[in-house]
Amino acid sequence: MFNKEKNFVSAVIYVYKAEDRIEEFLRTVIRTFEKHFENSEIICVDDCSTDKSIDIIKKIGQEPSTFTNITIVNLSYYHGLERAMNAGVELAIGDFVFEFDSTILDFDPEEIMTVYWHSLKGYDIVSASPDKKQKIMSNIFYKLFEYFTDSSYKMGTERFRILSRRVINRIGSMNKTIPYRKAVYANCGLKTDNLRYHIV
């Protein structure tokens, strides 16, 4: 018999005009969670989408075969990725919280578990990045960030990440004037790592 993980996991998914891909993405996360974890939740933060994203999420959440609790945070006006994700993470109750900054599904679903297993080795933040070259402007931004900070955290394009409850508690007590989440994570003083995956 397959022994499921006892840790409660949360997923915070940023949704903005994603009606063409949210169903496949959401079902992928649900299947992975229900296969591997006893208890899980998904928080979809809709950043004032004007398409049918919310309707699709509601339909999936009401299906009797879906055991994972799905919550929708419906923002009344556009907030942008950083504020929207912060709102979702504040609501998450998991021992570990996955942050999905987009609904682009260019990774094998097992990468979700690879990141989780790696976090159990003592890492408070583990991110997953596509194995491809970064855009020029992104590369310049991350180089400048590394130059002007004394953090050992290597910034780069990340598709998703997992946060331990310890890091969520830590950043909750930090100065929140920095709007960029990855900058906060880079300076929280906890152990981090980045895993790269092949795009599927």
Side-chain angles (χ1 to χ4, degrees), residues 158-191:
E158 300 170 358
R159 187 67 71 220
F160 67 95
R161 71 195 60 79
I162 190 171
L163 311 174
S164 70
R165 177 51 54 182
R166 181 166 69 161
V167 76
I168 293 172
N169 292 340
R170 172 74 63 88
I171 63 177
S173 63
M174 292 172 65
N175 186 340
K176 293 188 177 182
T177 58
I178 303 174
Y180 190 48
R181 283 170 301 131
K182 285 197 284 186
V184 176
Y185 299 158
N187 291 282
C188 71
L190 297 175
K191 196 172 181 182

Side-chain angles (χ1 to χ4, degrees), residues 4-200:
K4 295 185 178 182
E5 287 292 296
K6 306 294 185 185
N7 284 320
F8 191 113
V9 291
S10 302
V12 178
I13 302 173
Y14 179 72
V15 181
Y16 181 67
K17 296 182 180 180
E19 66 178 2
D20 59 335
R21 58 185 184 273
I22 185 59
E23 180 167 359
E24 181 185 7
F25 188 89
L26 187 54
R27 290 190 187 280
T28 297
V29 176
I30 290 171
R31 281 195 301 269
T32 303
F33 278 10
E34 293 186 352
K35 177 181 177 181
H36 293 281
F37 297 97
E38 287 188 358
N39 299 290
S40 60
E41 68 169 355
I42 296 174
I43 300 170
C44 295
V45 185
D46 179 68
D47 201 4
C48 198
S49 296
T50 54
D51 60 5
K52 297 180 180 178
S53 296
I54 289 293
D55 296 333
I56 296 170
I57 296 168
K58 287 180 178 178
K59 181 192 74 171
I60 296 172
Q62 291 169 357
E63 292 175 353
S65 59
T66 302
F67 298 104
T68 301
N69 183 52
I70 299 175
T71 301
I72 300 173
V73 178
N74 197 1
L75 302 179
S76 58
Y77 64 92
Y78 181 78
H79 285 71
L81 173 65
E82 299 301 323
R83 289 184 177 179
M85 290 298 288
N86 283 335
V89 171
E90 286 182 4
L91 292 175
I93 62 173
D95 302 305
F96 292 88
V97 178
F98 284 92
E99 287 187 339
F100 294 97
D101 291 351
S102 78
T103 50
I104 296 174
L105 190 61
D106 63 354
F107 52 87
D108 187 295
E110 284 304 310
E111 293 294 338
I112 295 173
M113 292 310 298
T114 298
V115 167
Y116 170 77
W117 297 127
H118 197 66
S119 71
L120 296 184
K121 297 178 181 178
Y123 296 96
D124 288 286
I125 306 171
V126 181
S127 57
S129 300
D131 192 12
K132 67 176 183 179
K133 289 185 177 180
Q134 295 179 152
K135 293 179 181 178
I136 294 175
M137 292 306 296
S138 296
N139 198 41
I140 292 172
F141 172 80
Y142 295 132
K143 292 287 186 185
L144 286 171
F145 177 86
E146 290 174 10
Y147 180 80
F148 287 107
T149 63
D150 41 357
S151 170
S152 60
Y153 185 84
K154 296 298 180 184
M155 300 282 277
T157 300
E158 300 170 358
R159 187 67 71 220
F160 67 95
R161 71 195 60 79
I162 190 171
L163 311 174
S164 70
R165 177 51 54 182
R166 181 166 69 161
V167 76
I168 293 172
N169 292 340
R170 172 74 63 88
I171 63 177
S173 63
M174 292 172 65
N175 186 340
K176 293 188 177 182
T177 58
I178 303 174
Y180 190 48
R181 283 170 301 131
K182 285 197 284 186
V184 176
Y185 299 158
N187 291 282
C188 71
L190 297 175
K191 196 172 181 182
T192 67
D193 203 3
N194 174 259
L195 305 180
R196 301 189 71 83
Y197 63 85
H198 293 294
I199 296 175
V200 296

